[in-house]
Amino acid sequence: MRVGLGYDSHRFQPPGPLVLGGVRIPFDNHLHGHSDGDAVCHALTDALLGAAGAGDIGQMFPDTDAKNLGRNSVEMLREAVERMRTMGFRVAQADVTIIAESPRMGDHREAMRKRLADALGIELARMSVKAKSNEGMGFIGRGEGIACVAIATLTQG
Ligand code: MG
């Protein structure tokens, strides 16, 4: 069994909507980035690559490649899952924590879980999405952006 950790953060920029965990959330900002800025998918992709010892998201999807401009991050996640398969790994489970002052994630959690479980090719019970505020502290507390941490386990074969 292999365990991988991923982290990502992105800055808010108007206008909305916010795309997070592959779900469009009504909000007055989106996440600025070379791709669609989906920090949840990026953290999860890095967790997979980390577990497999296969580098990181920046190596797999360079921001110098025009193909990755404005790219749907769920597609990138699916590509990473496919790479796991070719390396002889299967995703066993994953857990994500979104750290954001706003918007509230409660209403969107289940939709994210479903979207991510589908992308990872795992049953819903093996995909966890959690969210918390940063208690008003730092860049997250000031509402400048959000961060996400993810952990994933892979099994061989
Ligand atoms: Mg990112």
Side-chain angles (χ1 to χ4, degrees):
M1 190 185 73
R2 306 282 200 97
V3 180
L5 175 70
Y7 169 84
D8 196 29
S9 60
H10 280 264
R11 181 182 292 276
F12 280 138
Q13 204 171 70
L18 180 64
V19 177
L20 212 51
V23 173
R24 286 167 70 94
I25 298 172
F27 193 51
D28 49 8
N29 285 294
H30 67 280
L31 291 171
H32 179 67
H34 187 75
S35 65
D36 64 5
D38 189 333
V40 172
C41 286
H42 295 175
L44 204 43
T45 299
D46 252 354
L48 296 179
L49 294 171
D56 63 34
I57 191 169
Q59 289 173 305
M60 189 166 176
F61 303 100
D63 62 9
T64 47
D65 188 344
K67 196 178 99 177
N68 297 324
L69 185 66
R71 193 154 177 209
N72 178 336
S73 296
V74 173
E75 262 179 39
M76 291 157 68
L77 180 58
R78 285 184 191 281
E79 235 178 82
V81 171
E82 190 49 42
R83 179 143 167 212
M84 298 299 104
R85 283 200 194 102
T86 60
M87 290 179 75
F89 293 115
R90 267 186 10 185
V91 182
Q93 57 84 223
D95 183 19
V96 160
T97 298
I98 302 161
I99 309 146
E101 217 64 30
S102 65
R104 307 291 292 187
M105 300 294 165
D107 292 346
H108 311 286
R109 240 173 78 166
E110 280 306 300
M112 282 190 236
R113 260 185 97 196
K114 282 184 191 142
R115 191 98 165 90
L116 296 170
D118 182 63
L120 295 182
I122 58 177
E123 55 188 287
L124 197 58
R126 291 170 174 265
M127 182 70 232
S128 159
V129 174
K130 311 188 299 303
K132 60 193 292 136
S133 84
N134 211 38
E135 300 288 340
M137 296 181 289
F139 77 90
I140 294 169
R142 290 189 297 272
E144 292 171 15
I146 70 161
C148 181
V149 286
I151 195 162
T153 58
L154 304 177
T155 51
Q156 216 112 28

